[in-house]
Amino acid sequence: MSFDLVFFGGTGDLAWRKLVPALFQAFRHGKLPSGGRILAVARDEMSDERYREWLRERFQAVDGAKRPKDEEFEHFAQLVHYRRMDLSQPEHYLRLKEWLAERQADTVVLYLATSPHLFTQICAQLGAAGLNDSRIRIVLEKPLGQDLASAQQINRVVRSVFAEQQAFRIDHYLGKPSVQNLMALRFGNALFEPLWRRESIANIQITLAESLGVGTRGSFYEGTGALRDMIQNHALQLLTMIAMEPPSTADADAIRDEKLKVLRSLKPFTADSVARDVVRGQYRSGTVDGQAVVGYLDEANIPAHSQCETFVALRTEVQNWRWAGVPFYLRTGKRLAARDAQIVVNFRPVPHPIFPSNNQPNRLVIKLQPEDGLELQLLAAKGSSHGETLAPVSLDLDFDKAFAANRVGAYERLLLDAIAGRLNLFVRSDEQEQAWRWVEPILDAWQDDSSGPRSYAAGSWGPPAASALVARDGFSWAEEQ
Ligand code: BG6
């Protein structure tokens, strides 16, 4: 299958940090279909040679095994071409069209790796130039909108030019092997399904913790915050995967229909419930991994009185028969104690404890990062001269080790899926809009509340109020147990 993959924003941060390295890995793994071209477009005037040189220089800074050997780079670079393009100029789209017409590739993937405020303009211009025939797919990077209205506006324009089947909205968490494993765990095994409901599960905790701060992305982050950056997309996507009903097939729409139902079943927020069930925080200076780090307000490009949240913890419920009354706690933050992404499923205690000691309930931990694994915590008899003593033991699976040869990074997987036209791991417009609909009351309530985010020390697990949120229901975060 021949393909042309066009990057708009070819000299940008995303193209360099994520997309080109992922494509190189796909090339190295022999997964990139042969007969492909990688076409980068951006504002600067550059020849193919100069662009390839620019890539080569950047690859020099890449660590160890991920850096191409000279010969490998030479082969990869032959696939890469560059043209200057001013995205506001209609005739530049016609030139792109001619470039693509030089050969009629079976598939054309147009990847918008630009600033999102250009998405509507680019889509409209693509439509005007007739760059929307059925061979063409459009890939849109998050953030898709700042709120429901702006997301709807982008979707309206995308839909006026492309069919929904041509639109690939990226949430890179869906490309992580651990997230695909979650589907396998739930729908490839009969074991858990009977337990996957309110009768057996006490609560579910989704934590996406980062030890890094905002780094050089201050100006972007300041207008975004943790709720829009991580909860509206990554955390909610994980929640849908955990809570969805088994789809009737593995087809993209069968899966996305079920995910949408979960989003529609989330308990809506009101101003009162935001005050009670949502905690926002902002990091102050502290110590992370043994290093002293500055607080958010001292990061580059952050205004002195910023009220932007770098941490969110919230409690919600999925209002349907399966999950009625089960709290779902979501938590994310920058400059937390560790880089640690996991989903913890806490089961209910045994109904009638007959052992006097330790009656700790079972727990399933789905580990997303830094390692990809699964841990099932059980109680076992330790043996003792004074009656039976129970002790927790773990069944611990490390998928990174078990499947090392087949592991591919999230962007590699998603790029290959976009080329192959597999939509399963991409977000449909109605899912995305529903997620905005759900977070919007939180944004509105914060706007009306001048008290701002609570402080937390860098290197901690966030403001104490996040622990209180869970403690109110008689539970605690996994790391506090
Ligand atoms: C991005 C956010 O979507 O996800 C970043 O914009 C965040 O702020 C990143 O750091 C986290 O992704 P990962 O894959 O490193 O967990």
Side-chain angles (χ1 to χ4, degrees), residues 65-357:
K66 295 220 156 147
R67 187 189 312 158
K69 299 188 185 71
D70 287 348
E71 200 189 342
E72 265 179 327
F73 183 80
E74 286 312 321
H75 285 129
F76 173 69
Q78 293 313 307
L79 307 179
V80 181
H81 305 269
Y82 179 87
R83 293 272 169 96
R84 181 179 115 73
M85 185 164 170
D86 179 340
L87 297 174
S88 64
Q89 298 298 317
E91 62 277 14
H92 287 209
Y93 291 82
L94 296 174
R95 277 196 231 153
L96 173 63
K97 194 175 178 184
E98 282 164 21
W99 195 18
L100 292 170
E102 279 173 7
R103 54 179 223 141
Q104 284 288 324
D106 300 327
T107 299
V108 176
V109 177
L110 306 176
Y111 199 122
L112 306 197
T114 61
S115 163
H117 76 269
L118 296 172
F119 287 178
T120 49
Q121 181 194 337
I122 299 175
C123 286
Q125 297 267 24
L126 289 168
L131 276 167
N132 59 345
D133 64 63
S134 59
R135 294 172 312 132
I136 294 188
R137 295 176 190 140
I138 181 113
V139 183
L140 302 147
E141 252 299 333
K142 91 175 242 296
L144 279 170
Q146 275 289 91
D147 51 20
L148 178 61
S150 52
Q152 283 174 325
Q153 168 61 9
I154 295 175
N155 285 332
R156 250 194 307 275
V157 177
V158 171
R159 250 185 256 123
S160 70
V161 178
F162 299 99
E164 182 67 37
Q165 299 301 321
Q166 292 173 278
F168 289 66
R169 292 178 195 78
I170 290 237
D171 182 311
H172 79 277
Y173 265 65
L174 295 182
K176 290 186 190 276
S178 42
V179 177
Q180 294 146 42
N181 246 327
L182 181 53
M183 292 284 281
L185 173 81
R186 288 203 56 204
F187 307 127
N189 296 284
L191 199 62
F192 291 106
E193 184 51 25
L195 303 176
W196 213 255
R197 57 194 67 249
R198 63 190 302 279
E199 291 80 4
S200 310
I201 292 179
N203 68 82
I204 293 185
Q205 306 182 357
I206 299 179
T207 295
L208 305 179
E210 296 183 86
S211 52
L212 292 176
V214 288
T216 54
R217 296 166 75 223
S219 6
F220 158 77
Y221 198 83
E222 180 58 22
T224 305
L227 187 73
R228 290 186 174 100
D229 193 38
M230 298 292 284
I231 299 280
Q232 186 273 345
N233 32 69
H234 307 322
L236 282 187
Q237 283 294 321
L238 294 177
L239 187 153
T240 62
M241 293 280 206
I242 282 281
M244 71 197 263
E245 294 302 313
S248 54
T249 67
D251 291 347
D253 277 334
I255 295 171
R256 301 190 302 177
D257 287 347
E258 296 304 336
K259 286 164 62 198
L260 177 62
K261 281 190 212 159
V262 174
L263 292 167
R264 287 190 174 144
S265 310
L266 286 176
K267 189 172 179 177
F269 278 108
T270 60
D272 285 346
S273 65
V274 171
R276 192 185 58 233
D277 293 339
V278 186
V279 174
R280 59 176 159 156
Q282 191 185 74
Y283 62 84
R284 299 287 171 259
S285 58
T287 306
V288 177
D289 297 331
Q291 302 273 330
V293 297
V294 298
Y296 180 71
L297 298 177
D298 293 317
E299 300 276 15
N301 302 319
I302 303 301
H305 302 292
S306 163
Q307 295 223 335
C308 176
E309 81 287 356
T310 61
F311 174 94
V312 179
L314 62 84
R315 177 196 192 281
T316 187
E317 290 178 23
V318 178
Q319 297 182 310
N320 62 19
W321 273 42
R322 186 188 282 267
W323 295 114
V326 177
F328 283 72
Y329 304 106
L330 311 187
R331 175 176 62 160
T332 187
K334 298 216 180 268
R335 284 290 188 227
L336 294 183
R339 176 170 187 250
D340 185 13
Q342 60 176 19
I343 303 171
V344 176
V345 180
N346 285 312
F347 289 89
R348 291 188 188 279
V350 293
H352 173 62
I354 59 168
F355 299 108
S357 63

